[in-house]
Amino acid sequence: MPKITIHPSGQTIPYDPGKNLLEILLKEKIFVDNPCNGKGICGKCRVKILSADPPAAHPTEAELLKPEERAAGIRLACLTEPRDDIEIELLQKERRHEVLTDGYVPDLAFDCDIIKQVIQIKKPGLDGQMPYEEQIRSQLEDIEKMDALIEIDLDVLSDVKAQPGIMTAVLYKSHKDGSCTRLIQLEEGDTSDASYGVAVDIGTTTVVCALIDLHTGEELANASMINAQKHFGLDVLTRITYELEHPEDGRKKLQAAIVGSINDMIQEICTQAGVSREHIYEITVGANCTMMHMLLNIDASPIGKAPYAPIFVNARDIPARQIGLQAAKGARLYCLPSVSAYIGADIVAGTYVCGLEKARETILFIDIGTNGEIVLSHNGRLLCCSCAAGPALEGMNIRCGMRAAQGAVEDVHITEEGVKVDVIGGGKPAGICGSGILAAVRELLRTELIRPTGVFIKKDQLDPNDYRFPILRLDGTKREAVLAEETADDQKPLLITQQDVRQVQLAKGAILSGFTALLNKAGLSMEDLDKVMVAGQFGAHLPADSITGTGILPEGVKEKITYVGNSSKTGAYMALMSARAKREMEELAGQMEYMELGATEGYERLFSDCLIFPGHAGKKELLKGGIRSGKDR
């Protein structure tokens, strides 16, 4: 059997010919960046072939790799199919990612669905003393809060030992109608002090888990990681495609990846806090609609094609062990409700956390990522839409793009002394993340190196003594901007290409057109906004001047922008700590009006208008004040 040797570690991997190098490496859990899931589109899965006779370059590699790279033996792993022994060097390192775990938490009255009660078990005698089940039921029905029917499952009775003593009953209230309380677990002794839950935010890119003391509401520990489904694609549509292309086991693999991630993080936070996972009785989850389907092993393919009708949007309340989550034997899993295929439970959570349904102000809420989900709150009405911003704002489909990890450029400033970059974790840049690429375009616009149409100016328009002159360079006939000559991992220089600018332009057009379409439907303009609330991982790294400097929003709203952090996790926390919050979020999801942008009259023209960047300083701004509502155009 042929083998692959990886340098400099010397690790060897036997393999069966017939699969490409990317598939072989991922199967062995070896990190290779592959945003497009091996489709040969992104050009990120680069490896260096050290063998004397590297395989011939695939025709697609001629478009994605420079001639000098191909001559040096660099190939794309997804397009390289080894046949014999081969030696390779990996060109990327898996870096520690910056994941947002905190967020604004409103005041909340605790009313958990989990209740623990100590009971006394007596051995029945010949005098007709009650059987064990009736002893348990009678004591539980005496609890002041328990005015509902107590359900006791047969598997819970298996925890009862035929001997007298103290036991602790773990009860789960039905929050829907209050008519039933379920006994989910019996524990030996008095364990009433140990009662914990886990709040989870599942994003397409990242996953966050927080361990919560159900008595106090205190967050005892948290953990975060990149969503393990990244091996099947970096965006929801690529993962849905994987599911379709692997009908025999695709859904199971996607579910196993996310469930495994959550189990690993539960173990991590339990270790941090010195808590047993056997005392975790409820897990609440906020996630987008696709991630929720994949968590529960429900077919997500309808979300990826018209008419984009998901299998379900309602909240789900099931035993946690039903999907393999490792917590207490009787632990429950509660999944927050969604609105539609592209307005998921994470956005319902954010809307609830920010109190948009009760707001007297006119508020625009947005969670910016691969999809930009937007909610407009005006006079108690909640309009929402989702716009396909694309992966550029996650650092993907960008020449030197990467996720928000150590080594990523997150902000850029062009000065007369040169280009200054802010790098996550310090040191030399390894690439540029979403907030960084947006900042770079902001600065290129501000310094007039690109026009409002998104096109780089010609280098011969600049005086050689102009401080901007060294920033522009030509790659053949293609213009690009140099942010840094030296980068980490010897991948240099750090560039912004014309195609990168176009990717940002498409994202900006999608988001601004979504804002404007909602405002148009409500008969409002940008000037009518009282507040803009930015949520999510990307927003946490995004300065207000990047939002307005690139024209995602007009300059006039700059002082109205606030950041609310990880509102999806906060919504999951509120559901964990309050039965009322669960009820209200379920009601809220039914009140949110979804607007399909593609079906909106005049949307193509609106999108085209929104592609234009703001004009240069001192000149008439093409988007001054924002695109007006239809009545003003």
Side-chain angles (χ1 to χ4, degrees):
M1 180 179 291
K3 65 180 184 295
I4 297 169
T5 302
I6 301 174
H7 290 273
S9 68
Q11 179 182 358
T12 60
I13 303 170
Y15 72 94
D16 293 316
K19 293 186 177 182
N20 64 52
L21 190 54
L22 178 64
E23 292 175 300
I24 296 168
L25 294 173
L26 291 181
K27 184 179 179 182
E28 297 295 323
K29 294 184 169 46
I30 295 171
F31 173 76
V32 182
D33 202 9
N34 62 317
C36 70
N37 193 27
K39 296 293 188 292
I41 299 171
C42 67
K44 299 285 186 182
C45 60
R46 302 179 181 205
V47 297
K48 186 172 185 179
I49 309 298
L50 301 177
S51 306
D53 187 18
H58 189 280
T60 302
E61 291 175 313
E63 302 174 14
L64 298 172
L65 299 173
K66 293 183 176 181
E68 57 268 28
E69 290 178 315
R70 300 196 300 274
I74 294 175
R75 299 288 185 269
L76 299 181
C78 69
L79 297 176
T80 301
E81 190 173 308
R83 298 284 180 183
D84 304 305
D85 289 353
I86 188 172
E87 297 184 15
I88 67 170
E89 178 184 349
L90 301 179
L91 299 180
Q92 308 126 338
K93 296 177 182 177
E94 186 161 23
R95 299 174 180 275
R96 183 174 63 83
H97 289 77
E98 299 290 318
V99 179
L100 181 64
T101 60
D102 297 324
Y104 161 72
V105 183
D107 292 335
L108 179 69
F110 297 157
D111 178 26
C112 296
D113 279 330
I114 296 294
I115 295 175
K116 298 188 84 171
Q117 177 67 27
V118 177
I119 59 175
Q120 175 75 48
I121 300 295
K122 298 179 180 179
K123 189 171 184 178
L126 297 176
D127 57 356
Q129 191 172 339
M130 285 189 293
Y132 295 109
E133 180 179 7
E134 295 310 312
Q135 290 187 52
I136 295 167
R137 188 183 301 279
S138 65
Q139 292 180 71
L140 296 181
E141 288 175 348
D142 287 340
I143 303 173
E144 184 179 347
K145 291 185 178 182
M146 294 295 107
D147 55 359
L149 176 68
I150 305 293
E151 285 193 0
I152 302 178
D153 293 337
L154 190 61
D155 62 342
V156 176
L157 291 177
S158 67
D159 295 330
V160 178
K161 294 182 170 53
Q163 57 189 28
I166 297 294
M167 297 196 80
T168 301
V170 185
L171 299 132
Y172 183 72
K173 296 184 296 179
S174 171
H175 72 277
K176 289 186 178 296
D177 56 17
S179 63
C180 173
T181 297
R182 184 183 301 275
L183 177 62
I184 62 172
Q185 196 157 311
L186 281 170
E187 299 171 345
E188 288 189 59
D190 182 352
T191 64
S192 55
D193 288 341
S195 189
Y196 306 99
V198 174
V200 183
D201 164 45
I202 303 175
T204 307
T205 304
T206 58
V207 186
V208 176
C209 288
L211 179 66
I212 310 298
D213 186 324
L214 296 181
H215 290 301
T216 65
E218 181 185 359
E219 181 175 313
L220 302 177
N222 67 65
S224 60
M225 66 186 300
I226 296 300
N227 191 326
Q229 291 176 340
K230 66 182 179 181
H231 295 306
F232 308 101
L234 287 185
D235 58 74
V236 295
L237 292 180
T238 309
R239 293 176 197 171
I240 289 172
T241 300
Y242 179 86
E243 187 176 297
L244 288 169
E245 292 175 347
H246 300 80
E248 69 290 345
D249 62 355
R251 272 167 45 193
K252 288 182 179 179
K253 286 185 175 180
L254 286 161
Q255 183 190 42
I258 188 60
V259 169
S261 294
I262 295 173
N263 282 335
D264 288 346
M265 285 188 288
I266 288 176
Q267 183 57 56
E268 182 180 342
I269 56 182
C270 285
T271 300
Q272 287 179 38
V275 167
S276 168
R277 67 166 72 220
E278 297 302 319
H279 290 145
I280 293 174
Y281 303 107
E282 186 174 12
I283 299 168
T284 53
V285 176
N288 66 52
C289 195
T290 302
M291 293 300 99
M292 203 71 88
H293 277 59
M294 291 179 175
L295 173 69
L296 300 178
N297 193 22
I298 304 296
D299 182 12
S301 61
I303 296 173
K305 56 188 177 184
Y308 313 109
I311 298 294
F312 75 98
V313 293
N314 292 334
R316 282 292 179 271
D317 181 356
I318 63 173
R321 62 181 173 177
Q322 184 173 321
I323 66 167
L325 290 174
Q326 297 168 3
K329 178 181 176 182
R332 305 295 297 182
L333 169 66
Y334 179 80
C335 299
L336 277 62
S338 296
V339 174
S340 66
Y342 290 103
I343 297 292
D346 50 347
I347 306 307
V348 174
T351 302
Y352 183 75
V353 168
C354 295
L356 298 188
E357 76 282 10
K358 302 173 184 175
R360 295 182 180 180
E361 301 170 296
T362 298
I363 300 174
L364 202 62
F365 170 94
I366 181 166
D367 190 323
I368 306 177
T370 303
N371 286 313
E373 293 99 348
I374 310 168
V375 182
L376 174 65
S377 172
H378 177 65
N379 290 337
R381 187 183 185 188
L382 296 171
L383 292 172
C384 56
C385 70
S386 176
C387 50
L393 299 185
E394 299 282 359
M396 300 299 108
N397 285 4
I398 300 296
R399 169 71 176 274
C400 297
M402 63 182 290
R403 300 186 192 95
Q406 273 192 312
V409 171
E410 62 175 343
D411 203 358
V412 176
H413 298 278
I414 296 177
T415 71
E416 294 190 6
E417 287 73 41
V419 180
K420 301 185 184 303
V421 296
D422 294 342
V423 179
I424 296 175
K428 291 183 180 180
I432 187 165
C433 66
S435 58
I437 184 66
L438 205 60
V441 172
R442 175 200 73 208
E443 290 295 280
L444 292 170
L445 283 165
R446 184 183 62 79
T447 56
E448 303 186 19
L449 288 170
I450 55 177
R451 304 182 187 281
T453 57
V455 177
F456 276 104
I457 66 170
K458 295 180 180 179
K459 190 174 177 72
D460 59 15
Q461 292 180 266
L462 296 175
D463 187 292
N465 295 318
D466 191 310
Y467 74 94
R468 299 169 297 168
F469 188 83
I471 297 172
L472 276 187
R473 71 165 54 171
L474 292 176
D475 178 15
T477 60
K478 298 177 181 177
R479 301 167 209 165
E480 54 195 24
V482 182
L483 300 185
E485 289 288 356
E486 294 187 2
T487 57
D489 304 333
D490 295 325
Q491 297 182 36
K492 55 184 182 181
L494 183 65
L495 303 170
I496 302 296
T497 68
Q498 183 66 72
Q499 181 61 24
D500 294 341
V501 176
R502 291 299 187 209
Q503 291 292 317
V504 172
Q505 195 168 17
L506 290 171
K508 168 247 193 292
I511 296 169
L512 180 57
S513 63
F515 287 160
T516 308
L518 289 183
L519 290 168
N520 288 349
K521 188 173 180 67
L524 302 170
S525 70
M526 290 286 183
E527 287 83 354
D528 296 316
L529 290 174
D530 296 306
K531 189 180 295 183
V532 177
M533 307 184 85
V534 180
Q537 177 72 25
F538 177 65
H541 293 271
L542 189 60
D545 60 357
S546 287
I547 297 176
T548 57
T550 54
I552 289 177
L553 282 173
E555 187 70 25
V557 304
K558 184 175 179 179
E559 301 305 318
K560 300 176 182 179
I561 295 173
T562 61
Y563 298 89
V564 295
N566 190 336
S567 57
S568 177
K569 190 201 89 170
T570 302
Y573 166 82
M574 295 178 76
L576 184 66
M577 294 305 302
S578 169
R580 179 179 178 178
K582 287 175 180 170
R583 288 195 304 270
E584 291 180 342
M585 276 190 266
E586 290 175 16
E587 292 169 2
L588 176 62
Q591 296 167 10
M592 296 171 69
E593 300 177 47
Y594 178 67
M595 178 180 175
E596 181 58 56
L597 291 178
T600 303
E601 183 179 355
Y603 178 70
E604 289 186 7
R605 171 63 186 275
L606 173 62
F607 176 74
S608 178
D609 287 347
C610 291
L611 287 173
I612 304 299
F613 285 118
H616 299 316
K619 299 181 181 179
K620 179 181 178 181
E621 293 191 10
L622 298 180
L623 290 182
K624 188 172 181 60
I627 302 292
R628 300 293 298 178
S629 62
K631 58 185 172 63
D632 295 326
R633 292 184 59 187

